[in-house]
C-alpha cells in the first residue's frame, strides 16, 4: 500500500472514530440530562399532588369526622379536578389502598408485571421507576398519603425523551454518512496533492540510484519535504562531483600509464637497437662512437624521466617545512644559472625582481623557476626575449611570472597543460619537446605552498605563467 493511501485511510478512520465517539457521547449526555429533568419534574409534581391530597384527607376526617369511606369518596372527587389538568399533559394518577387495590386511577393501560415501587412506600420518601409498556415509556413515582396508607402513584409518559434520542441518532447517522462521503473525497484529493512532492522525490532518487546523477528534484516548498528535496539535490550534486572526479582520476591514470609506456618505449627501442648494432655488426670507429652517443643520450633521457617521476611521487605525499625567503634572490640565482643556456640559444632574459618575501621551500621553488624558464627557452626562437619578474601580488602575497614571446599554446591544449605527460600534438615530435612533466611538477609544488598557478597563452604570441603565493 502506498504512503498516501495509508495517510488517507488513517486520517479517515481516525476522524470517523473521533466523530462517532463525540456524537454518541453528546447524544447520550443530552438524553440523560433531559431524562433527569423529566424525573425531577415528575417528583415535584407528585409531591404537590401528594401534599394536597394528604391535607384534604386529614382535614375532612379530623374536622368533619368523615369516615374512611367518606374520605375516600372525597379524594375521588378531588382526583377528578387534577386529572382534568394532567390528562392533557400525558400524566396519570393512581390511588391504591394498603392492599394495593385501586381506589381511583386514570392510567388507561394495564400492567401485570411486578410493581417494585409499591413494596415499601413512605410519606416523606418518593420512589420512582421507569417502565416500558407497549411502545411507550412511563415514569412511576409512588409515596404514601400521611398515615392513611393510601399509595399515590404519579405516572408520566416520557416516551418523547426516548423518541428524541432515537431521532438524534437517526439525524447523526445521516449527517455522518454525508460527512464521510464529503471527507473521503476531500481527503483523497488533498492527500494525493500533498504527497505529490514525495512521489517526485522518490522518482528522482530512483533515477539517481540508477546512475542519473544529473537528475534533480524540484524543491518549490519550504516545508520538510522542500528541505529534504534540497538535501537530496545537494547529495546528488556531491555524488555527481565525486563520480566525475573518479572518472577524471581514472582517465588521468590511464593517460599517465599510456604516456609513461610511450616515453619508456622510445628510448629503450633506441638503446636496444644500437646495442644490437654494436653487438652483431662490423662497424667503423666513427659508427661505433655515434652509436654509443645515442645509447648515452637515451640513457640520460631515461634517467631524467625517472627523476621527474620520483619528484611527482614524492610531492604527492610531502609536507613542507616553509621558511620566509625573498623570491627576488631566487630569481637572480635563476638568471645566473640559465645565462649559459640563454647565450647558447641566442636569447635574452630580462629580470624585474622587487623584494617579495614569502614562506617557501627554496629548493622546490628553484625547481619551479627552472622548469618555467626551461619551457620558455624551448618555446622561444633564437633572438627572442624572455621576461622574469617577481614582486607583491595585487590580490596580496607575492607573485612570480615567466613570460616568453615564443610559439604559444593552442587554446584547446591550455586546460590540460598541467596534466602529467601532456604535450601538444604540434610539439610532440620536436627534438626539444620534453616528457610533459615540468608544468605538472610546478603545479604540485605551488599547491604544496598553498598558492595558485595561472597560464595565459596565445598561439604564435608567447606564453605567460604566473605563480601566486600567500
Amino acid at each position: 500500500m502506498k504512503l498516501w493511501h495509508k495517510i488517507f485511510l488513517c486520517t479517515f478512520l481516525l476522524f470517523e472514530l473521533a466523530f462517532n465517539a463525540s456524537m454518541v457521547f453528546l447524544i447520550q449526555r443530552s438524553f440523560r440530562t433531559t431524562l433527569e429533568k423529566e424525573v425531577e419534574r415528575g417528583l415535584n409534581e407528585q409531591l404537590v399532588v401528594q401534599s394536597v391530597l394528604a391535607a384534604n384527607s386529614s382535614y375532612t376526617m379530623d374536622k368533619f369526622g368523615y369516615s374512611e369511606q367518606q374520605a375516600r369518596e372525597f379524594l375521588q372527587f378531588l382526583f377528578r379536578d387534577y386529572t382534568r389538568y394532567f390528562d392533557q399533559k400525558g400524566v396519570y394518577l393512581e390511588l391504591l389502598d394498603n392492599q394495593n387495590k385501586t381506589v381511583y386511577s386514570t392510567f388507561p393501560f394495564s400492567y401485570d408485571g411486578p410493581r417494585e415501587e409499591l413494596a415499601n412506600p413512605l410519606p416523606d420518601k418518593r420512589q420512582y421507576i421507569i417502565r416500558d409498556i407497549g411502545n411507550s415509556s412511563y415514569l412511576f413515582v409512588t409515596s404514601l398519603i400521611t398515615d392513611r396508607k393510601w399509595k399515590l402513584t404519579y405516572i408520566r409518559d416520557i416516551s418523547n425523551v426516548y423518541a428524541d434520542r432515537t431521532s438524534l441518532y437517526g439525524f447523526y447517522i445521516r449527517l455522518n454518512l454525508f460527512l464521510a462521503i464529503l471527507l473521503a473525497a476531500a481527503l483523497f484529493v488533498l492527500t494525493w496533492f500533498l504527497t505529490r512532492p514525495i512521489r517526485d522525490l522518490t522518482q528522482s532518487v530512483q533515477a539517481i540510484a540508477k546512475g542519473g546523477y544529473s537528475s534533480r528534484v524540484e524543491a518549490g516548498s519550504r516545508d520538510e519535504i522542500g528541505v529534504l528535496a534540497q538535501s537530496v539535490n545537494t547529495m546528488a550534486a556531491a555524488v555527481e562531483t565525486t563520480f566525475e572526479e573518479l572518472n577524471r582520476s581514472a582517465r588521468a591514470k590511464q593517460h599517465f600509464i599510456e604516456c609513461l609506456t610511450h616515453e619508456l618505449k622510445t628510448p629503450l627501442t633506441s638503446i636496444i637497437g644500437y646495442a644490437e648494432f654494436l653487438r652483431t655488426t662490423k662497424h667503423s670507429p666513427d659508427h661505433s662512437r655515434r652509436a654509443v652517443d645515442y645509447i648515452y643520450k637515451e640513457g640520460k633521457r631515461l634517467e631524467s624521466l625517472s627523476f621527474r617521476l620520483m619528484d611527482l611521487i614524492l610531492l604527492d605525499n610531502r609536507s613542507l617545512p616553509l621558511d620566509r625567503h625573498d623570491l627576488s634572490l631566487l630569481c637572480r640565482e635563476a638568471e645566473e644559472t640559465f645565462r649559459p643556456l640563454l647565450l647558447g640559444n641566442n636569447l635574452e632574459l630580462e629580470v624585474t625582481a622587487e623584494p617579495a618575501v614569502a614562506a617557501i621551500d627554496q629548493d622546490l621553488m628553484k625547481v619551479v623557476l627552472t622548469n618555467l624558464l626551461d619551457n620558455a627557452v624551448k618555446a622561444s626562437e633564437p633572438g627572442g626575449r624572455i621576461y622574469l619578474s617577481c614582486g607583491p601580488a595585487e590580490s596580496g602575497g607575492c607573485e612570480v611570472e615567466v613570460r616568453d614571446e615564443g610559439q604559444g599554446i593552442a587554446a584547446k591544449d591550455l586546460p590540460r597543460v598541467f596534466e602529467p605527460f601532456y604535450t601538444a600534438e604540434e610539439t610532440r615530435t620536436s627534438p626539444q619537446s620534453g616528457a610533459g612533466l615540468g608544468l605538472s611538477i610546478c603545479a604540485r609544488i605551488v599547491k604544496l605552498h598553498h598558492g595558485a598557478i595561472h597560464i595565459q597563452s596565445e598561439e604564435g604570441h608567447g606564453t605567460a605563467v604566473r605563480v601566486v603565493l600567500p
Side-chain angles (χ1 to χ4, degrees):
M1 182 180 291
K2 296 182 178 178
L3 177 61
W4 74 278
H5 290 163
K6 294 179 182 178
I7 295 175
F8 165 74
L9 287 178
C10 291
T11 306
F12 180 76
L13 293 177
L14 186 62
F15 172 81
E16 281 294 301
L17 180 64
F19 181 73
N20 290 340
S22 301
M23 290 302 294
V24 170
F25 175 77
L26 290 176
I27 292 174
Q28 285 297 120
R29 181 179 177 80
S30 174
F31 167 74
R32 286 195 299 271
T33 302
T34 305
L35 184 61
E36 289 173 358
K37 289 181 178 179
E38 288 295 322
V39 170
E40 186 67 23
R41 179 181 178 184
L43 291 173
N44 291 334
E45 290 183 349
Q46 196 273 348
L47 178 61
V48 172
V49 175
Q50 186 257 356
S51 299
V52 172
L53 293 179
N56 282 280
S57 67
S58 298
Y59 183 79
T60 53
M61 294 182 70
D62 297 340
K63 184 70 175 178
F64 299 105
Y66 281 8
S67 64
E68 184 171 334
Q69 180 60 33
Q70 290 173 328
R72 179 182 298 188
E73 292 174 353
F74 179 73
L75 290 177
Q76 289 175 348
F77 173 76
L78 290 177
F79 256 70
R80 293 190 187 96
D81 291 338
Y82 284 108
T83 52
R84 279 198 296 270
Y85 171 75
F86 285 128
D87 283 347
Q88 299 175 1
K89 298 183 177 181
V91 176
Y92 310 98
L93 295 177
E94 181 186 65
L95 184 65
L96 303 178
D97 59 14
N98 57 357
Q99 299 299 320
N100 291 338
K101 292 181 179 178
T102 304
V103 175
Y104 186 85
S105 176
T106 60
F107 191 55
F109 304 102
S110 61
Y111 180 71
D112 300 330
R115 300 285 300 271
E116 295 86 350
E117 74 276 13
L118 301 177
N120 295 302
L122 296 173
D124 56 348
K125 185 177 182 181
R126 286 151 293 155
Q127 300 183 118
Y128 75 88
I129 188 170
I130 296 174
R131 184 171 287 123
D132 293 331
I133 301 176
N135 295 325
S136 302
S137 298
Y138 296 93
L139 171 67
F140 287 75
V141 183
T142 302
S143 67
L144 283 178
I145 298 178
T146 64
D147 58 349
R148 305 301 176 184
K149 299 186 185 304
W150 290 334
K151 300 175 183 176
L152 173 62
T153 300
Y154 172 94
I155 305 172
R156 184 179 188 83
D157 187 356
I158 57 173
S159 301
N160 61 321
V161 177
Y162 290 90
D164 288 345
R165 183 179 65 171
T166 304
S167 176
L168 282 176
Y169 271 116
F171 175 75
Y172 151 69
I173 292 174
R174 293 191 297 274
L175 177 63
N176 185 37
L177 182 62
F178 171 75
L179 289 179
I181 296 174
L182 185 63
L183 177 66
L187 272 180
F188 187 88
V189 175
L190 283 176
T191 307
W192 181 88
F193 178 77
L194 292 176
T195 56
R196 187 177 62 178
I198 298 178
R199 292 193 295 276
D200 295 341
L201 181 62
T202 302
Q203 292 177 355
S204 298
V205 171
Q206 288 175 343
I208 294 171
K210 292 178 180 177
Y213 301 114
S214 60
S215 177
R216 295 292 183 272
V217 183
E218 183 179 354
S221 62
R222 296 183 178 180
D223 55 11
E224 290 82 354
I225 300 299
V227 173
L228 178 60
Q230 291 177 354
S231 300
V232 170
N233 285 339
T234 303
M235 181 191 69
V239 172
E240 184 179 14
T241 302
T242 303
F243 185 75
E244 290 177 352
E245 288 179 353
L246 290 175
N247 280 340
R248 188 162 48 249
S249 176
R251 290 194 299 269
K253 289 180 180 178
Q254 181 64 29
H255 176 72
F256 183 88
I257 293 172
E258 291 174 355
C259 293
L260 178 60
T261 303
H262 176 77
E263 293 296 328
L264 291 175
K265 181 180 178 182
T266 302
L268 285 175
T269 301
S270 298
I271 291 172
I272 294 172
Y274 279 106
E276 182 67 16
F277 170 75
L278 293 175
R279 189 174 65 87
T280 60
T281 307
K282 292 182 179 179
H283 44 75
S284 65
D286 183 57
H287 286 163
S288 177
R289 182 183 58 79
R290 290 173 57 188
V292 171
D293 286 344
Y294 274 113
I295 292 174
Y296 176 78
K297 181 180 177 182
E298 295 301 326
K300 293 296 289 183
R301 182 178 175 183
L302 284 177
E303 182 187 47
S304 174
L305 178 62
S306 66
F307 286 156
R308 287 180 175 270
L309 286 174
M310 187 61 69
D311 289 341
L312 277 177
I313 294 172
L314 293 177
L315 287 173
D316 277 343
N317 302 307
R318 189 167 180 179
S319 178
L320 295 180
L322 303 179
D323 298 316
R324 298 185 68 78
H325 294 281
D326 191 349
L327 291 174
S328 63
L329 300 179
L330 295 182
C331 292
R332 295 298 179 187
E333 291 182 16
E335 179 185 10
E336 294 299 325
T337 302
F338 269 78
R339 187 173 300 281
L341 180 61
L342 294 168
L343 292 175
N345 289 275
N346 192 23
L347 295 173
E348 292 186 14
L349 176 62
E350 182 176 324
V351 179
T352 305
E354 299 179 18
V357 179
I360 59 173
D361 182 293
Q362 287 194 85
D363 293 336
L364 290 180
M365 196 50 63
K366 287 179 182 176
V367 173
V368 172
L369 292 176
T370 300
N371 282 331
L372 295 181
L373 289 172
D374 186 60
N375 287 344
V377 170
K378 292 176 180 176
S380 300
E381 298 293 335
R385 185 182 293 270
I386 298 173
Y387 303 89
L388 171 62
S389 63
C390 75
E394 294 181 357
S395 57
C398 305
E399 67 176 13
V400 178
E401 183 180 75
V402 176
R403 181 162 58 87
D404 64 66
E405 299 174 339
Q407 58 189 2
I409 304 173
K412 63 181 179 63
D413 296 320
L414 277 178
R416 303 184 59 186
V417 293
F418 294 111
E419 295 179 10
F421 292 111
Y422 184 80
T423 55
E425 292 291 340
E426 293 77 5
T427 60
R428 188 160 295 168
T429 56
S430 172
Q432 293 184 332
S433 174
L437 295 173
L439 284 177
S440 178
I441 291 174
C442 290
R444 297 195 183 190
I445 292 175
V446 172
K447 184 178 179 181
L448 287 174
H449 286 78
H450 311 291
I453 184 168
H454 309 281
I455 184 168
Q456 291 181 335
S457 183
E458 185 178 355
E459 201 168 9
H461 294 83
T463 301
V465 181
R466 184 163 58 93
V467 175
V468 180
L469 298 176

